[in-house]
């Protein structure tokens, strides 16, 4: 069965520091991978997605993620965190081959940014 | 120009009541979804409709009944509300021939509190 694991429930970084949020997935075929961000009281906004091709994908707000098939990982990175990045981050895998469009989400990582 | 809208934003009700949450998207998408986010922020798919046809129906109590009057609307009706139904419910939409590799656009969520 497909699954997504985000090992870090809560991360605190200082403003200006670099950030890496981990995501591991379990999926039999080539996964369709997504990172979403949820600001307090808001819906989910897509940061970036990977379907195929270049394994390093760029997203909005200065985020990037790298797909590593050998490690079943899709970690999210940002070189310098801003206070406005404090939010909940969700990694998700889509079942593209089954044509259902369902997204399986990880448990989420809460990012806190210290001034 | 709200892409995916939900009403109401907040819903507080008593156990045993029946309530509905409405969702509308103006993106011209053909697939719509309902997700439930529990108190631990875990997101799980409930239903998915494509062109008004039910394509995903996860293990959800039959007290929950989605209704799609047209492609732009997917409403969620809940009968005999229980305390455990308290959660944030997100509507989402997507489009493309292969639904699994699409970005899903999320609404702002409806926070349901059952007393």
């Amino acid at each position: 069965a497909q699954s997504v694991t985000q090992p870090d429930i809560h991360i605190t970084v200082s403003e200006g520091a670099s950030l890496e949020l981990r995501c591991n997935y379990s999926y039999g075929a080539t996964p369709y991978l997504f990172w979403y961000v949820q600001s307090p009281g808001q819906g989910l906004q897509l940061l970036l997605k990977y379907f195929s091709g270049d394994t390093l994908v760029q997203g909005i707000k200065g985020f990037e993620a790298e797909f590593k098939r050998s490690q079943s990982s899709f970690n999210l990175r940002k070189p310098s965190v801003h206070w406005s990045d404090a939010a909940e981050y969700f990694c998700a895998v889509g079942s593209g081959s089954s044509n259902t469009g369902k997204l399986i989400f990880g448990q989420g990582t809460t990012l806190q940014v210290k001034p | 120009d709200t892409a995916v809208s939900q009403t109401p934003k907040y819903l507080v009700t008593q156990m045993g009541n029946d309530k509905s949450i409405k969702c509308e998207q103006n993106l011209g998408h053909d697939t719509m979804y309902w997700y439930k986010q529990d108190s631990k922020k875990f997101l799980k798919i409930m239903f998915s409709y494509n062109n008004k046809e039910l394509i995903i129906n996860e293990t959800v109590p039959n007290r929950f009944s989605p209704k799609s009057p047209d492609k732009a609307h997917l409403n969620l009706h809940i009968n005999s509300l229980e305390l455990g139904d308290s959660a944030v419910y997100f509507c989402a939409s997507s489009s493309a021939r292969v639904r699994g590799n699409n970005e899903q656009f999320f609404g702002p969520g409806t926070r349901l509190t059952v007393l």
Side-chain angles (χ1 to χ4, degrees), chain B residues 36-70:
Chain B
K36 179 180 180 180
Q37 185 176 45
D38 63 22
S39 58
K40 295 183 179 179
K41 298 195 176 179
F42 183 63
L43 274 156
K44 187 173 181 187
I45 183 82
M46 299 174 69
F47 301 102
S48 174
Y49 269 73
N50 177 258
N51 284 319
K52 303 194 297 175
E53 178 185 349
L54 181 66
I55 56 171
I56 296 175
N57 185 350
E58 294 290 297
T59 308
V60 176
N62 58 15
R63 299 181 294 103
F64 290 78
S65 53
K67 287 184 172 55
S68 182
D70 55 58

Side-chain angles (χ1 to χ4, degrees), chain B residues 17-28:
Chain B
N17 284 350
D18 303 338
K19 290 294 178 185
S20 292
I21 306 172
K22 295 184 177 182
C23 178
E24 177 181 3
Q25 55 94 3
N26 62 6
L27 298 167

Side-chain angles (χ1 to χ4, degrees), chain A residues 2 93 95 100-105, chain B residues 31-37 42-49 54-61 74 89-93 104 106:
Chain A
Q2 304 154 34
V93 63
S95 52
T100 63
K102 180 170 71 174
L103 287 180
I104 307 295
F105 284 88
Chain B
T31 306
M32 297 183 73
Y33 311 81
W34 277 110
Y35 288 85
K36 179 180 180 180
Q37 185 176 45
F42 183 63
L43 274 156
K44 187 173 181 187
I45 183 82
M46 299 174 69
F47 301 102
S48 174
Y49 269 73
L54 181 66
I55 56 171
I56 296 175
N57 185 350
E58 294 290 297
T59 308
V60 176
L74 180 62
Y89 293 85
F90 286 100
C91 178
S93 70
Q104 293 187 14
F106 283 78

Side-chain angles (χ1 to χ4, degrees), chain A residues 8-21 37-38 40 63 81-89 108-115, chain B residues 41:
Chain A
D8 305 305
I9 302 298
H10 192 113
I11 282 184
T12 301
V13 299
S14 297
E15 191 168 15
S18 63
L19 171 71
E20 182 170 34
L21 302 182
V37 61
Q38 182 182 21
F63 286 92
V81 169
H82 188 262
W83 63 266
S84 60
D85 292 325
E88 192 79 20
Y89 290 81
T109 298
T110 302
L111 173 64
Q112 186 177 2
V113 180
K114 293 191 302 185
Chain B
K41 298 195 176 179

